[in-house]
Amino acid sequence: MKKVKWGILSTADIAQTQVIPAILRANNAEIHGISSLSGKAKETALKFSIPNYYGSYEEMLQNQEIDAVYIPVPNHLHKKWVIEAARYGKHVLCEKPAALTVEETLEMVEVCKQNNVKFMEAFMYQFHPQHKRVQEIIESGEIGNLRFMRASFSFNLGDKQNNIRMNNEMGGGSIYDVGCYGIHAIRNLLKSEPEEIKVIANIDPQSGVDLSAVVYMKLENGLNAVFDCGMDMAFRHEYEIVGTKGRVVVPRAFRPDLNDGEGLLLIYSEQGFRNEKIIADQYRNQIEHFSQAVLEDRLPSYSSENTIQNMRVIEACYQSIK
């Protein structure tokens, strides 16, 4: 079976703990090289048996054997390196949020199109089949007509002083970091875009970043939704969809990998209560999906247009805070 040869742009924690292992588990992908500006490329290459390592991103991008790159650099650098990778003819899987503004995202997407490379934002959670099951339950009519959705994603950052999430210029803040998941889930599960957004945020007085936020949305299809996110709260990652006859709660919505990939649905309806468990490897699924899109020269299921719409909502949230 032909495999996509991947290059990893940086030795970021998310790359080492999640994405590199996922590529190693994938059937249609392999890692050809890793690059780092911090001098850690060799050490990381040895750790994961990666054949090539580079002291600069450009050097790795110049390697013509590499088909696709994964970009987990700080948020404010996404635009620069997505564009560079595209100009070198590399397909791009970029960590969320895709960029810091709609304008940046549009430019990135356009350069990828001009250079005929695939682009996808790395919202890995959507590749866990528990969300498809939620859609099936909604479409079956079991919970009636939809009325409301809420989503939450929070964690406690702990030591704030040396964390890039506390740096405004680098795209820090809870909405960029974890709120983007709530936005994505609401938009895609309710299949509608927000027409009205109101945000109440807790702003850190020193850094100016949003430590937490509560976001109220009215969607174009008339439904209401709310999500909250935070870097100063206990860890939780869940959503609930409420209909006229019942509701579905997904308590492991975004990181079921922390429960060995076990997703969980709690269904309350006129038939009573039941739970459903679904096990999957969402990081591997994401890598295999994107790699297959490259191999078959087709667009990924998660489109650039969807990414742009998500960024529009993120931007509107920050405008509301201002």
Side-chain angles (χ1 to χ4, degrees), residues 153-286:
F153 201 167
S154 66
F155 65 100
N156 197 322
L157 192 58
D159 176 27
K160 295 184 175 69
Q161 280 194 313
N162 303 311
N163 199 299
I164 59 168
R165 292 178 178 89
M166 296 299 295
N167 188 317
N168 230 342
E169 283 70 47
M170 295 172 80
S174 66
I175 294 174
Y176 277 135
D177 196 55
V178 284
C180 58
Y181 286 90
I183 293 168
H184 190 273
I186 288 165
R187 291 180 47 256
N188 286 283
L189 286 161
L190 300 186
K191 298 180 177 175
S192 186
E193 300 297 336
E195 61 180 17
E196 194 178 334
I197 290 174
K198 293 176 183 175
V199 184
I200 298 169
N202 174 23
I203 304 296
D204 178 63
Q206 276 78 46
S207 64
V209 305
D210 52 299
L211 288 172
S212 62
V214 181
V215 180
Y216 302 88
M217 293 183 188
K218 182 173 183 183
L219 303 182
E220 289 170 352
N221 63 6
L223 296 179
N224 291 313
V226 62
F227 77 85
D228 73 272
C229 54
M231 308 188 295
D232 58 354
M233 293 189 259
F235 178 62
R236 55 210 233 291
H237 56 119
E238 60 197 31
Y239 64 74
E240 175 187 31
I241 299 176
V242 184
T244 51
K245 296 179 180 177
R247 62 193 177 102
V248 180
V249 181
V250 184
R252 301 171 186 165
F254 306 119
R255 295 296 309 275
D257 53 291
L258 299 175
N259 288 84
D260 296 323
E262 186 182 82
L264 179 64
L265 274 56
L266 309 177
I267 302 123
Y268 304 83
S269 71
E270 291 174 345
Q271 283 85 55
F273 167 78
R274 72 178 189 282
N275 67 59
E276 295 182 11
K277 294 176 180 177
I278 302 168
I279 296 173
D281 185 344
Q282 61 185 19
Y283 280 101
R284 174 181 171 175
N285 288 352
Q286 174 179 251

Side-chain angles (χ1 to χ4, degrees), residues 2 40 45 60 74 76 89 133 151-152 158 172 189 213 216 229-230 233 248 254 271 279 298 308 312:
K2 195 172 187 312
K40 293 179 182 173
M60 188 185 77
H76 71 300
R133 180 64 188 130
S152 302
L189 286 161
Y216 302 88
C229 54
M233 293 189 259
V248 180
F254 306 119
Q271 283 85 55
I279 296 173
R298 58 174 169 77
I308 291 162
R312 284 192 204 285

Side-chain angles (χ1 to χ4, degrees), residues 80-186:
K80 173 180 169 63
W81 289 109
V82 167
I83 287 173
E84 282 295 309
R87 285 177 177 155
Y88 278 104
K90 311 302 182 196
H91 303 286
V92 180
L93 177 67
C94 178
E95 258 314 320
K96 38 53 56 185
L100 298 185
T101 64
V102 174
E103 189 180 350
E104 283 187 1
T105 312
L106 287 166
E107 191 179 338
M108 288 156 55
V109 166
E110 183 56 35
V111 173
C112 287
K113 283 179 181 170
Q114 286 169 3
N115 289 276
N116 198 29
V117 298
K118 320 287 178 213
F119 169 82
M120 191 172 84
E121 184 182 20
F123 270 116
M124 75 298 171
Y125 89 94
Q126 66 188 316
F127 293 97
H128 195 291
Q130 64 177 339
H131 311 292
K132 185 167 183 267
R133 180 64 188 130
V134 169
Q135 288 279 19
E136 288 170 358
I137 290 166
I138 291 168
E139 287 162 14
S140 75
E142 184 180 353
I143 64 168
N145 296 322
L146 297 191
R147 287 292 179 260
F148 175 72
M149 178 170 174
R150 65 165 182 88
S152 302
F153 201 167
S154 66
F155 65 100
N156 197 322
L157 192 58
D159 176 27
K160 295 184 175 69
Q161 280 194 313
N162 303 311
N163 199 299
I164 59 168
R165 292 178 178 89
M166 296 299 295
N167 188 317
N168 230 342
E169 283 70 47
M170 295 172 80
S174 66
I175 294 174
Y176 277 135
D177 196 55
V178 284
C180 58
Y181 286 90
I183 293 168
H184 190 273
I186 288 165

Side-chain angles (χ1 to χ4, degrees), residues 10 54 61 143 213 215 243 256 286 289:
S10 119
Y54 307 89
L61 292 172
I143 64 168
V215 180
Q286 174 179 251
H289 176 83

